[in-house]
Structure formats: structure tokens, C-alpha cells
């Protein structure tokens, strides 16, 4: 079992003993999402920590988007619940990159590829280089926005 998955299971037990409803329900949901990812596809497999971080990132993004949708719909209680779940999931993700760090990574990729000034048509090349470096550490939309900004 991966160390991250083991940590989540241990934390679930602790949350259940402490009767922390939000944390325990969120961790159950996360473990369920991890199990679903493990059995998806033709052959079941154990996920690595990196793959689990990908699942956690996806679940975190779902929570953030749902919170915004609930907020726009005037359902503040539901939005608060989604934000609380996102906060629990964030505890298991690597530290997020700052906008300046994202800009530096994108700038280096643009320079290394020699695509400065090529405009939007070079976006795919740059994203292909940048995405592996920021996976799980930055929101894809923020990275794409920075790439667009730097490519002009």
C-alpha cells in the first residue's frame, strides 16, 4: 500500500474516533475515489503516491467548483460544506505553487522551447513541458492562463 493511502486510512480512523464528521466523511469519499481509480481499466492495480495525488487534485477541484456553483445559487451552507471538504483534501496535497513560481516555470519552458512570440499556437508545446512539473502543485487553469499571458 502506498504511504499516502496508508496515511489517509490512519487519519480516517483518528477522525472517526474523534467524531469529526466532516473529516471522516471526506476521507471516506477520498478512499472511495482512490479505490475506483484502482479498479478502473482492464486490470486492477495499486496506485502510486503520485497517482493518488492526481485523484486528490481532481476531487479537490470538484469541491472548489461545486462551492462556487452553490455560492452563485445562493446555497451558502452547501458552499461552506464543499469548502470544508476541499480544506481536508488540501492537507494531503503537496504545497501549492505561488503565481510567481508558476510564472518562473512557464518562462523557463518558453525560453527552453524557443517559442517566445509564437502566440497561442505554441501553447500545447509549452503545456506539455510545464504540466509534469506542476502536477498536483498548481491548478491547471492558472497554469494555462499564465502560458497564454506569456505567449501573448
Amino acid at each position: 500500500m502506498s504511504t499516502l493511502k496508508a496515511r489517509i486510512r490512519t487519519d480516517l480512523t483518528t477522525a472517526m474516533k474523534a467524531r469529526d464528521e466532516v473529516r471522516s466523511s471526506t476521507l471516506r469519499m477520498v478512499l472511495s475515489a482512490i479505490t475506483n481509480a484502482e479498479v478502473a481499466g482492464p486490470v486492477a492495480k495499486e496506485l502510486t503516491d503520485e497517482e493518488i495525488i492526481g485523484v486528490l487534485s481532481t476531487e479537490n477541484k470538484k469541491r472548489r467548483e461545486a462551492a462556487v456553483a452553490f455560492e452563485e445559487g445562493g446555497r451558502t451552507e452547501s458552499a461552506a460544506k464543499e469548502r470544508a471538504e476541499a480544506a481536508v483534501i488540501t492537507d494531503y496535497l503537496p504545497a501549492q505553487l505561488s503565481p510567481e513560481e508558476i510564472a518562473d516555470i512557464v518562462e523557463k519552458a518558453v525560453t527552453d522551447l524557443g517559442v517566445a512570440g509564437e502566440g497561442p499556437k505554441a501553447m500545447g508545446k509549452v503545456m506539455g513541458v510545464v504540466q509534469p512539473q506542476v502536477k498536483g502543485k498548481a491548478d491547471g487553469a492558472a497554469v494555462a492562463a499564465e502560458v497564454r499571458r506569456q505567449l501573448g
Side-chain angles (χ1 to χ4, degrees):
M1 181 183 306
S2 76
T3 56
L4 185 55
K5 187 174 177 182
R7 180 179 154 216
I8 292 171
R9 284 183 192 268
T10 303
D11 289 353
L12 172 60
T13 304
T14 304
M16 289 168 58
K17 287 178 181 176
R19 300 197 187 282
D20 185 342
E21 289 299 318
V22 173
R23 191 165 196 80
S24 58
S25 68
T26 302
L27 293 178
R28 276 193 193 104
M29 177 272 311
V30 164
L31 285 170
S32 175
I34 291 169
T35 302
N36 288 342
E38 287 176 337
V39 298
V43 178
K45 66 177 184 131
E46 181 100 8
L47 295 181
T48 64
D49 280 351
E50 188 173 300
E51 292 168 325
I52 290 174
I53 287 173
V55 172
L56 292 173
S57 295
T58 301
E59 293 299 320
N60 197 27
K61 182 177 180 183
K62 286 179 189 176
R63 299 300 165 285
R64 287 192 323 263
E65 290 174 351
V68 169
F70 282 134
E71 199 69 43
E72 290 172 354
R75 297 182 56 197
T76 55
E77 314 84 37
S78 297
K81 179 180 181 286
E82 294 293 334
R83 284 194 179 88
E85 289 179 359
V88 171
I89 295 169
T90 301
D91 291 344
Y92 298 93
L93 291 171
Q96 297 295 294
L97 296 172
S98 70
E100 295 79 24
E101 291 169 317
I102 294 171
D104 291 343
I105 291 170
V106 171
E107 186 177 336
K108 184 178 180 334
V110 169
T111 304
D112 291 350
L113 292 170
V115 294
E118 285 189 27
K121 69 180 182 177
M123 187 158 176
K125 291 179 196 173
V126 176
M127 288 297 286
V129 171
V130 172
Q131 271 308 97
Q133 297 175 46
V134 300
K135 185 172 183 155
K137 299 182 213 165
D139 181 43
V143 174
E146 182 60 28
V147 170
R148 262 190 239 94
R149 187 187 69 74
Q150 289 195 24
L151 290 176

